[in-house]
Amino acid sequence: MATTTPEHDKRVADLTFSSVYPHYVTKVEKKGRTVEELHTVIEWLTGFNETTLNTLIEEKVTFKTFFERAKLNANAHLIKGVICGYRIEDITTPLTKQARYLDKLIDELARGRKMEKILRS
């Protein structure tokens, strides 16, 4: 697996959460999961409840700002595997790694993984 490039890391940092969020919703709903489950997963990782999430979406924050404001779960380091062609454990840029944690959790949710496994409890 390749490590991320500075250009890739900048693209991740500059993405707005509001532009990606509808894709998360579509992905999980298409697989029979709910927006509530999506929010549970996001809150587990970031500490953001639904109200805060809606505010961040309205503010059109970038992923950089999104993760600067997040209180990352202490067990986030347990999220491992390959997502978007990158092995999470090998990503050295903290922001890109955090964004891939979120992608991986949403991917697991869409694949029907049990919530307690997704939440690394």
Side-chain angles (χ1 to χ4, degrees), residues 3 44 53 55-56 61-62 65 87 93 107 115-116:
T3 57
W44 178 86
L53 263 186
T55 301
L56 294 168
V61 298
T62 62
T65 303
R87 179 157 288 286
T93 309
D107 196 51
M115 195 57 93
E116 56 272 14

Side-chain angles (χ1 to χ4, degrees), residues 59-81:
E59 287 179 25
K60 295 190 176 4
V61 298
T62 62
F63 268 97
K64 182 178 189 301
T65 303
F66 183 84
F67 282 106
E68 281 172 354
R69 294 187 192 172
K71 289 184 179 33
L72 220 57
N73 190 293
N75 286 334
H77 69 279
L78 299 174
I79 303 167
K80 295 183 176 2

Side-chain angles (χ1 to χ4, degrees), residues 56-115:
L56 294 168
I57 290 167
E58 284 168 25
E59 287 179 25
K60 295 190 176 4
V61 298
T62 62
F63 268 97
K64 182 178 189 301
T65 303
F66 183 84
F67 282 106
E68 281 172 354
R69 294 187 192 172
K71 289 184 179 33
L72 220 57
N73 190 293
N75 286 334
H77 69 279
L78 299 174
I79 303 167
K80 295 183 176 2
V82 177
I83 191 77
C84 302
Y86 297 98
R87 179 157 288 286
I88 294 173
E89 304 90 299
D90 296 341
I91 298 172
T92 54
T93 309
L95 174 63
T96 303
K97 182 175 254 183
Q98 292 163 358
R100 294 304 174 221
Y101 283 160
L102 182 58
D103 291 338
K104 184 71 174 171
L105 294 177
I106 292 166
D107 196 51
E108 289 176 355
L109 182 65
R111 288 182 177 188
R113 197 161 191 220
K114 287 184 169 46
M115 195 57 93

Side-chain angles (χ1 to χ4, degrees), residues 2 4 6 23 54 56 118:
T4 61
H23 299 287
N54 288 330
L56 294 168
I118 298 170

